[in-house]
């Protein structure tokens, strides 16, 4: 397995997940070439790397010291499970930041990490200081008629820190929403998966799940 690639802010390296060591570890790859570096090198499973805005740290999900294993819920869903950790971008001492959670994403200034947590059909988005502390829920008040979700996936801040985009895995589809960073009523913007902001947060790039679109890449 090789997956979950993410660029460092300088565009010169990629962090990704592979199981070539016998479990899931996070590796660093130089775009210019050379041997890949195993950053975690731990018997636990480590997944979902996310670079800090200054490129000096990587948030990730790990099963070390966790009561939660990494689980695979199906071909159309990502790996989930574990706790939220942070480490230097070149490897080294790790710090547990929060309990069970997935899909860490940094605020633009690097002071906060958002992530999702909770059992199926009751998941929420939380924020926690990147130095650690008590997580706080970002309240979501879906309007009447929105379908119930199984999972909340891939939350991320806009570059000005004012908005959060995320995916909801619902009963029959995947829906992309945006919501104010402080929470509130999420606004449905597309049927799709794996949303991310473009460079200046003037658009959202996603995989389109509408009939006939074959999960092609779109921008909204």
């Amino acid at each position: 397995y090789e997956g979950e690639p993410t660029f460092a802010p300088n565009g010169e390296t990629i962090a990704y997940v592979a199981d070539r060591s016998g479990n899931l570890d996070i590796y660093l790859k130089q775009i210019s070439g050379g041997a890949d570096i195993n950053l975690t090198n731990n018997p636990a499973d480590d997944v979902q790397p996310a670079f800090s805005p200054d490129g000096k740290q990587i948030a990730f999900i790990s099963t070390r010291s966790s009561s939660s294993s990494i689980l695979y819920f199906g071909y159309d869903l990502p790996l989930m499970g574990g706790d939220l950790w942070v480490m230097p971008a070149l490897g080294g001492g790790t710090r547990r930041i929060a309990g069970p959670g997935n899909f860490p994403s940094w605020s633009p200034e690097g002071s906060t990490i958002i992530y999702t947590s909770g059992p199926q059909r009751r998941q929420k988005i939380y924020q926690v200081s990147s130095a650690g502390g008590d997580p706080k829920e970002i309240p979501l008040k879906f309007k009447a008629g929105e379908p119930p979700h199984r999972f909340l996936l891939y939350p991320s801040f806009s570059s000005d820190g004012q908005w959060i985009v995320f995916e909801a895995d619902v009963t029959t589809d995947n829906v992309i929403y945006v919501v104010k960073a402080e929470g509130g009523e999420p606004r449905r913007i597309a049927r799709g998966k794996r949303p991310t902001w473009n460079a200046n947060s003037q658009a959202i790039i996603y995989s389109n799940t509408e009939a006939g679109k074959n999960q092609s890449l779109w921008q909204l």
Side-chain angles (χ1 to χ4, degrees):
Y1 174 81
E2 290 182 340
E4 303 178 1
T6 182
F7 272 106
N10 63 11
E12 296 179 359
T13 56
I14 290 175
Y16 70 97
V17 175
D19 63 358
R20 67 177 66 111
S21 62
N23 61 292
L24 295 166
D25 276 318
I26 295 171
Y27 289 79
L28 194 68
K29 173 187 287 290
Q30 299 288 331
I31 300 301
S32 57
D36 294 2
I37 302 171
N38 186 334
L39 295 178
T40 48
N41 196 25
N42 189 286
D45 286 320
D46 302 302
V47 298
Q48 297 172 4
F51 279 98
S52 61
D54 62 7
K56 295 180 178 180
Q57 299 182 85
I58 294 176
F60 66 103
I61 301 301
S62 179
T63 60
R64 63 188 78 186
S65 303
S66 174
S67 60
S68 174
S69 300
I70 298 296
L71 300 176
Y72 181 55
F73 289 94
Y75 75 94
D76 59 341
L77 288 168
L79 300 169
M80 284 183 271
D83 295 341
L84 176 58
W85 291 68
V86 169
M87 65 178 169
L90 294 179
T94 59
R95 295 181 291 117
R96 184 176 179 271
I97 299 299
N102 285 108
F103 316 113
S105 181
W106 298 74
S107 61
E109 78 290 345
S111 63
T112 301
I113 297 172
I114 56 173
Y115 63 100
T116 69
S117 182
Q120 290 191 48
R121 306 188 189 284
R122 296 197 302 276
Q123 286 205 327
K124 299 177 181 179
I125 298 177
Y126 292 89
Q127 61 181 352
V128 65
S129 167
S130 57
D134 294 328
K136 297 180 180 179
E137 180 187 352
I138 297 175
L140 304 178
K141 300 177 181 179
F142 291 92
K143 65 182 179 181
E146 289 296 317
H149 62 267
R150 288 191 300 165
F151 299 104
L152 299 179
L153 312 168
Y154 307 115
S156 65
F157 281 107
S158 58
S159 58
D160 61 5
Q162 298 298 305
W163 297 89
I164 293 172
V165 67
F166 65 94
E167 173 191 339
D169 175 74
V170 300
T171 306
T172 58
D173 207 348
N174 298 80
V175 180
I176 295 172
Y177 294 92
V178 291
V179 67
K180 289 290 186 75
E182 64 271 20
E185 183 180 289
R187 180 158 53 92
R188 175 196 287 245
I189 61 169
R191 290 172 56 190
K193 303 175 72 171
R194 195 59 173 94
T196 187
W197 301 91
N198 72 349
N200 58 9
S201 293
Q202 297 300 304
I204 292 168
I205 299 169
Y206 66 100
S207 180
N208 195 320
T209 61
E210 293 181 24
K213 298 297 192 298
N214 298 313
Q215 299 197 33
S216 50
L217 199 61
W218 284 64
Q219 178 173 286
L220 174 64

